[in-house]
Amino acid sequence: MKRITKLLLIALLAVSSCASAQKVPSSRQARQSHVIGFYNLENLFDTVHDEGKNDYEFLPDGSNNWTEEKYAKKLSNMAQVIAAMKEDNGAWHTVLGVSEIENRHVLEDLVSEPAIAAANFQIIHYDGPDRRGVDVALLYDATKMTVVSSESIPFTFDGSAISFSMDKEGQERFRTRDILCVHGIIDGEHFAFYVCHLPSRLGGKGQDLRARGGEIIYNHSMQMMKQYPGIKCVVMGDMNDNPTDESMAVYLRGRENISEVGPEDYFSPFLSMLKAGYSSLYYRGEGNIYDCILVNSNLTDAPAGSFRIQPIVKKKYYGRVFSKPFMTNQSGPYKGTPFRTFSNGAFIGGYSDHYPTYIVISK
């Protein structure tokens, strides 16, 4: 009897060991997935004046009474959102583009926040010429992506096919955010990430300027595709335009459906989501998705075993607008809209006037 019991025990241990060895990892781990996103941080300024930047309202004696306490609250809020995305996805972003940041210093403070310090995000940032003093930047996980090169692409009018309403003198004076391009390698595959914050809509202006931004990105990415055949291009940013607008649909050749995407087109996953009623921000009372992410055909028609964009919402939408109750106004006239940092000039301790967006790529 003892011998039989011993044999049964050995058999059970063998089965248990086999089951343990064959335990299925999480689907994202099994598929080698990466989260790629964008977040407009809504005026992430420190409390110290930067020479040459129009940051006076974000000083302790400025119109926003921007104190160290408010700055600390802002950093904590931004980190809370990024940590909440990690909680939902089971992994930190591999790449997170950001906009409306004053300088590298605010990003160093942000990535050091206790809620996200474990991500060990690295920073790519260039000081740009924007008259408000805000830039774009890229945070990335250096254990997942190796950076080959990066550049800050200036917003110029040279060589454009667009007819501008602004005269030559105005064009020479015009200053806006540069476009960041980062060339990286993820698991042996080349990627080009473009992070942008296209010109504002204030005063009802800028349609031709935003179209120019799309044109600059598109032309640069086509050059990258010639130089690095098969490179996977991802364009992200606060476009100040919807996916249906000219800058995205015409000059970036954003297509709604993967089946429509040719070698010189981009897939625009948030286009169908906009039509379905999703919003990443509200402008003049209307819901919009200005926080767009687009990918080239090398991420929609990828060879077997290489990275491609995945459906992540309701098994049919290839993008996500990330919102949680704590990021959203729960009452009052702005109920259902992003809970922002300021309202009518007053500090209300919110997060951002934009929700972050992201995509997932997997093998």
Side-chain angles (χ1 to χ4, degrees), residues 22-62:
Q22 294 180 15
K23 183 179 179 181
V24 178
S26 70
S27 59
R28 291 210 170 147
Q29 289 174 333
R31 291 184 302 170
Q32 298 183 53
S33 295
H34 297 274
V35 181
I36 297 169
F38 173 78
Y39 195 11
N40 180 321
L41 301 180
E42 193 202 358
N43 294 319
L44 182 56
F45 281 78
D46 60 25
T47 62
V48 180
H49 174 57
D50 277 10
E51 190 65 34
K53 292 198 173 186
N54 185 16
D55 59 358
Y56 296 102
E57 61 184 325
F58 287 95
L59 296 176
D61 59 353

Side-chain angles (χ1 to χ4, degrees), residues 22 32 58 82 85 126 142 169 186 271 279 318 320 354:
Q22 294 180 15
Q32 298 183 53
F58 287 95
I82 296 169
M85 287 190 279
Y126 293 85
E169 185 178 349
I186 300 175
L271 200 162
S279 302
Y318 287 77
R320 183 179 180 190
H354 293 245

